[in-house]
Amino acid sequence: ISNFYRRIFLFSTDDSHFDVKADGVLMVNREVVLHKGHQTFFIHSWDSQGHKITIPVSVVNPEHHHGHHHGHQCGKHHDGDHINYNNQHHSTEVKSANHTEVVPVLQFPKSGGELRRRKRDWVIPPLNVPENQRGNYPLKVAQARSTEDRTRKLFYSITGPGADLPPVGLFTMDRKTGNLYVTQTLDREETPSYMFEIHAVADGAGQAEDPMEIIVNVIDRNDNKPYFTKEYNVNVAEATAIGTEVVRVEAKDDDEPDSYNSDVRYRILNQNPPLPTDNMFEINPVTGSIRVTGKGLDREKYPQYTLTVQAADLAGEGLTGQTQVILTVTDSNDNAPIFTQKSYNARVDENKKDVVVVRMIVTDEDEPQTPAWNAKFKIVSGDPGGLFTVKTGTNKQEGILSTANELDFERARKHTLLVSVENEIPFTPGLSVVTSTATVLVNVKDVNEAPVFDPKEKFATKSEDLAVDEVVVQYTASDPDTACKQKVMYKIMNDPAGWLNVDKDTGLIKVRRLMDREAPFVTNNRYIATIGAYDDDAVPATGTGTLIIQLEDVNDNAPIIEQREIKVCNKDPAPQLLSVTDKDGPKHGPPYSVSLQGMSKTHWTARMNDSRTGIILNLATELPSGDDSVIMRVADKYGLEQDSIIKAEVCDCRGEETTCFGHASNMPLIRGILGGSLLLVLVLVVLFVSLRKEEQKEPTSKDNIFYYNREQSREDDQDYDLSVFHHGLDNRPEVVGLSRQLISTDRQSPRFKKLANMYGRGGDDNML
């Protein structure tokens, strides 16, 4: 083939008995019978641009072609025979005892003159020697010749691997004739080619020719069968579509790659079990791809298939090897979960949340504990208000229906729910799977429900001096048990100060005891009480509501001086700043006013500061060291006033640095004060005894005194004669101020009663 040794071409033949190697050598693959002495076929080749070239080839019996026997059986070529249909070697006939052997003649290049060339300029075609060639060794494969042997005697030899280098002696040369022999069978899979040099030496005259480089190619024979390197274990889903590849097998062949000897074809020899058909799978003979071709993959019936796969070379007609392909059928969701019963009946108390209504069991024929087996439940209809919820139990085959919100017997006594079940993954496409459903009838059980206040918090704004028995608000509740026609009644659940009463039947709330915005039970002007509503059931149920009373301030507290004791120097005394406070709100407080009372006016001066919230007190005259009492009357902006007594310790010092020492000279004064105090106590005792006697004489009279009992539920309207207290309490400025308020207040008003109560306690809780 022209230019073959400089370029590589791809060949193919029309006749499978023959094969063309990449080097252009035509080989016989198996025994050929040449009818009529020859056989004709076509060889195809493609150039580098992909253009196809086709030429006819005739293989001719040598006897018919040349008229003499060329060493093969008549009309036959055998497996591995090498046919030189365009050989560049010369050939010669070598006769042996059995036949005449034709071998190539390796001609040394011509020498001498301008025709002599270097050995590398000559390209000697390689020798082709089949591997595993049968015959008696050594076998002659070629003959070296030189034109110099016409004039002188030459000796031939070879050097290189396979000759004098390892493997030594594989090739030998007759030194006289130049015949090249192979001494044993060759193995292409071990060594595909050999390269050595042929030398020609003249007898006694040295080298006659330049060494000639020779390549011996070992021609492949089909002496290796295909083999698989592994067995195949793969999964195939039972829902796999027809035509889907599940695995690709691959066999190896150690013969010459890309040759007919290594051209492998695949086929499935056996399918076990052969159910539901014996051709559930097919294999691509060239690629080894195994695909699903039959319907009926069913893990529940046929969980595994074993395929025996064969690989054969010579395009499927040569040597063979086998492997096992194990296909495990995996589960697909081709079975729907089914309820074990189609209907359920349950009973649930009303007003109960997160209560289990019913547990529903399902079965599924798919593989347990897989997404195709795990159940998933849904309420399809019957629950527009979202009163129920359904979830999957831990075993994945149980639906647990529960109440998501409280049920109401009065609204609906029964609920009919339709529940469906599916799997965690969709059903297999193409299958007619019917979704299973179950009906759940939920009967709501009536229970006694507590009355409900509307609103849960009731607001009422009232003046703090609201009279006893005045209405605060009506706060009512309704009974959810409309079918029972129960009566609702009311009671006070929590009333911290005991200020309220509630009508048992109507829920009307009134003042039981005068309220006071300044009391410790009031926070941010709000007084909070809890009202209860209960029914007349055998086991009453009680509901509660919250009453919030916003108390409006009234001017019922006179301002007072916080600081009750001071120290001053009797010489150049420093002014004293005294703070004034009022328990009432800001609108009944400052600006305040102050005035000195009694003898205090002769020794002291008092005025309000610029903000009119504090008093600036000054000692106006020099007093001897000792104690003095300063009586000041302080009024708020509405004129509500009260006297306060300040104890002033006068020290014999100057300016602001007040330094006081013992007051021995004041002992007579102290004794006088103590004696006066004792006398006052005696007078009070006599007065109390006389009042008790009057009370015994006239038990129905209420003209002289009122006794205040903190636990008493309400006060009756009374008249008061307070003059009996004035003489004994003149030195109590708080009482004095309170008495002034009483005298100036209408005796029939609630305010008068409140002030009288305070007077009975001595003015406030810190007095007496």
Side-chain angles (χ1 to χ4, degrees):
I1 296 176
S2 176
N3 297 326
F4 168 75
Y5 295 102
R6 292 189 294 274
R7 300 175 65 184
I8 299 298
F9 290 81
L10 180 64
F11 299 95
S12 68
T13 68
D14 288 337
D15 193 331
S16 61
H17 293 80
F18 301 91
D19 187 26
V20 181
K21 302 297 182 180
D23 57 4
V25 175
L26 179 64
M27 298 291 296
V28 179
N29 285 322
R30 58 185 185 274
E31 183 176 280
V32 179
V33 177
L34 300 179
H35 300 285
K36 298 181 181 181
H38 69 277
Q39 183 163 333
T40 302
F41 56 92
F42 291 94
I43 295 178
H44 308 284
S45 180
W46 291 263
D47 61 18
S48 59
Q49 280 73 39
H51 299 118
K52 185 177 180 181
I53 304 171
T54 302
I55 59 171
V57 175
S58 294
V59 178
V60 181
N61 187 334
E63 289 186 353
H64 290 81
H65 187 61
H66 297 292
H68 60 274
H69 189 227
H70 275 222
H72 295 292
Q73 295 182 12
C74 180
K76 293 185 179 179
H77 285 275
H78 296 276
D79 180 17
D81 283 354
H82 174 198
I83 302 176
N84 290 307
Y85 61 96
N86 191 15
N87 203 325
Q88 296 185 23
H89 297 295
H90 299 290
S91 62
T92 184
E93 295 182 1
V94 179
K95 293 183 179 180
S96 66
N98 297 322
H99 62 274
T100 301
E101 187 176 7
V102 179
V103 297
V105 176
L106 308 177
Q107 185 70 47
F108 279 92
K110 293 182 180 180
S111 59
E114 295 181 356
L115 296 177
R116 184 175 182 84
R117 301 183 182 183
R118 296 189 303 276
K119 64 176 181 177
R120 297 297 180 187
D121 292 336
W122 289 87
V123 179
I124 307 300
L127 296 174
N128 295 309
V129 179
E131 65 173 338
N132 300 322
Q133 190 173 14
R134 291 188 291 270
N136 296 322
Y137 287 88
L139 293 177
K140 182 179 178 181
V141 295
Q143 182 182 13
R145 292 293 303 276
S146 173
T147 57
E148 294 294 319
D149 62 358
R150 299 173 185 173
T151 59
R152 51 183 173 169
K153 187 175 182 180
L154 299 180
F155 297 100
Y156 299 94
S157 63
I158 58 172
T159 60
D164 60 341
L165 295 177
V168 177
L170 188 58
F171 292 91
T172 61
M173 179 166 281
D174 188 303
R175 64 190 303 268
K176 292 181 179 180
T177 64
N179 292 335
L180 179 64
Y181 297 92
V182 59
T183 61
Q184 62 187 49
T185 58
L186 303 179
D187 186 356
R188 189 204 66 83
E189 286 72 43
E190 181 179 343
T191 305
S193 66
Y194 298 88
M195 180 183 294
F196 43 79
E197 291 183 337
I198 300 178
H199 305 271
V201 179
D203 187 14
Q207 182 172 304
E209 298 280 5
D210 288 338
M212 180 170 55
E213 187 177 83
I214 296 299
I215 297 174
V216 176
N217 288 327
V218 182
I219 303 305
D220 186 41
R221 282 185 170 177
N222 192 24
D223 58 347
N224 291 279
K225 66 180 181 179
Y227 61 94
F228 293 91
T229 59
K230 63 178 180 179
E231 289 187 347
Y232 296 86
N233 286 274
V234 294
N235 294 333
V236 53
E238 58 183 346
T240 302
I242 291 177
T244 303
E245 179 182 301
V246 294
V247 67
R248 187 182 293 261
V249 299
E250 182 183 10
K252 294 184 177 181
D253 194 310
D254 290 337
D255 289 320
E256 184 177 358
D258 301 320
S259 71
Y260 197 57
N261 294 334
S262 61
D263 188 6
V264 175
R265 297 290 187 272
Y266 303 94
R267 68 173 177 151
I268 297 175
L269 298 179
N270 183 54
Q271 171 192 306
N272 183 32
L275 298 170
T277 64
D278 59 356
N279 59 345
M280 293 296 293
F281 306 92
E282 70 174 10
I283 189 168
N284 186 304
V286 176
T287 64
S289 172
I290 298 177
R291 299 177 182 272
V292 177
T293 56
K295 294 182 178 180
L297 287 176
D298 191 341
R299 182 197 65 85
E300 289 75 31
K301 294 181 180 179
Y302 318 111
Q304 191 176 84
Y305 289 92
T306 300
L307 305 181
T308 302
V309 178
Q310 173 187 280
D313 59 18
L314 298 182
E317 299 181 10
L319 304 176
T320 62
Q322 294 182 2
T323 190
Q324 298 287 327
V325 177
I326 299 174
L327 300 174
T328 300
V329 182
T330 58
D331 190 35
S332 296
N333 195 14
D334 57 348
N335 294 283
I338 301 174
F339 285 100
T340 57
Q341 62 186 82
K342 299 301 291 183
S343 63
Y344 297 86
N345 228 306
R347 187 177 180 86
V348 180
D349 288 346
E350 67 173 332
N351 304 324
K352 295 294 181 66
K353 186 178 179 181
D354 298 326
V355 174
V356 174
V357 177
V358 69
R359 296 176 181 269
M360 300 167 287
I361 307 300
V362 298
T363 60
D364 195 316
E365 294 182 3
D366 290 314
E367 186 174 358
Q369 308 304 324
T370 65
W373 182 84
N374 296 340
K376 183 174 64 175
F377 299 86
K378 181 172 65 175
I379 299 174
V380 178
S381 64
D383 185 28
L387 297 175
F388 300 90
T389 183
V390 63
K391 64 180 181 179
T392 303
T394 56
N395 64 358
K396 300 298 184 179
Q397 291 280 279
E398 180 183 49
I400 303 173
L401 181 69
S402 305
T403 56
N405 290 292
E406 297 175 352
L407 305 182
D408 189 347
F409 174 84
E410 284 69 35
R411 290 189 178 182
R413 300 186 180 187
K414 291 184 179 181
H415 299 270
T416 302
L417 309 178
L418 184 64
V419 181
S420 67
V421 61
E422 296 179 350
N423 293 121
E424 290 180 354
I425 61 174
F427 296 123
T428 300
L431 296 179
S432 56
V433 180
V434 179
T435 301
S436 179
T437 59
T439 302
V440 182
L441 178 61
V442 182
N443 297 285
V444 183
K445 181 182 176 182
D446 189 25
V447 297
N448 186 29
E449 298 173 85
V452 178
F453 281 95
D454 185 20
K456 293 291 291 183
E457 290 185 346
K458 185 82 170 180
F459 287 85
T461 301
K462 297 294 176 181
S463 176
E464 67 172 322
D465 63 350
L466 187 66
V468 173
D469 286 335
E470 286 293 320
V471 174
V472 178
V473 71
Q474 187 169 24
Y475 194 13
T476 59
S478 59
D479 194 340
D481 296 314
T482 56
C484 296
K485 306 294 184 184
Q486 297 181 118
K487 181 180 179 181
V488 178
M489 293 166 287
Y490 304 90
K491 61 182 177 180
I492 298 291
M493 300 290 291
N494 184 32
D495 181 14
W499 289 344
L500 305 173
N501 268 330
V502 63
D503 187 279
K504 176 181 177 182
D505 298 316
T506 66
L508 189 65
I509 299 172
K510 295 182 178 182
V511 177
R512 175 183 174 219
R513 184 179 297 165
L514 284 176
M515 298 180 287
D516 184 5
R517 189 193 71 90
E518 291 75 40
F521 309 104
V522 178
T523 303
N524 295 329
N525 299 331
R526 288 184 173 186
Y527 179 71
I528 299 176
T530 304
I531 311 302
Y534 58 97
D535 56 32
D536 58 355
D537 191 80
V539 181
T542 301
T544 59
T546 301
L547 175 62
I548 302 174
I549 303 175
Q550 183 81 25
L551 292 174
E552 295 179 332
D553 188 32
V554 297
N555 195 18
D556 57 352
N557 290 278
I560 61 172
I561 300 173
E562 290 185 350
Q563 189 173 352
R564 297 302 180 94
E565 293 183 359
I566 61 174
K567 285 184 180 182
V568 295
C569 290
N570 56 7
K571 301 178 184 65
D572 297 329
Q576 303 291 314
L577 179 61
L578 307 176
S579 297
V580 179
T581 59
D582 192 324
K583 291 182 179 180
D584 292 322
K587 69 177 183 178
H588 296 131
Y592 302 116
S593 61
V594 64
S595 62
L596 293 166
Q597 302 298 311
M599 295 299 294
S600 300
K601 297 179 181 178
T602 60
H603 303 297
W604 301 83
T605 62
R607 64 180 178 85
M608 300 305 299
N609 63 358
D610 292 341
S611 63
R612 304 204 59 177
T613 58
I615 299 173
I616 299 175
L617 179 64
N618 281 291
L619 179 61
T621 61
E622 182 175 342
L623 295 176
S625 60
D627 293 331
D628 192 13
S629 294
V630 183
I631 302 174
M632 287 182 286
R633 182 169 297 166
V634 184
D636 59 24
K637 65 181 178 181
Y638 290 108
L640 184 61
E641 59 188 20
Q642 180 172 251
D643 290 350
S644 296
I645 298 177
I646 306 300
K647 177 185 176 183
E649 184 179 357
V650 180
C651 302
D652 189 10
C653 58
R654 183 181 297 277
E656 295 182 2
E657 296 183 3
T658 305
T659 304
C660 295
F661 302 97
H663 307 295
S665 60
N666 290 336
M667 287 303 294
L669 177 61
I670 294 174
R671 291 191 185 99
I673 293 173
L674 290 176
S677 298
L678 293 174
L679 180 62
L680 175 61
V681 173
L682 181 60
V683 171
L684 286 175
V685 172
V686 173
L687 178 62
F688 179 73
V689 171
S690 66
L691 286 174
R692 294 293 291 173
K693 289 181 178 179
E694 286 294 327
E695 192 177 38
Q696 292 174 4
K697 291 177 182 179
E698 299 179 14
T700 59
S701 175
K702 300 177 182 178
D703 294 334
N704 294 324
I705 189 168
F706 170 76
Y707 179 76
Y708 181 78
N709 184 354
R710 291 176 183 263
E711 304 301 325
Q712 186 173 332
S713 62
R714 65 171 60 192
E715 301 88 9
D716 296 323
D717 293 338
Q718 301 181 42
D719 293 330
Y720 299 88
D721 182 4
L722 302 175
S723 60
V724 294
F725 288 102
H726 280 268
H727 297 291
L729 301 176
D730 280 344
N731 287 328
R732 298 288 304 278
E734 295 85 352
V735 179
V736 172
L738 189 59
S739 66
R740 290 178 184 275
Q741 296 178 49
L742 283 168
I743 294 171
S744 62
T745 303
D746 181 7
R747 298 194 176 194
Q748 302 302 320
S749 68
R751 171 173 169 74
F752 182 85
K753 297 175 183 179
K754 181 175 180 180
L755 294 173
N757 290 338
M758 295 175 61
Y759 194 97
R761 297 197 304 269
D764 57 37
D765 291 339
N766 295 323
M767 300 174 67
L768 277 182

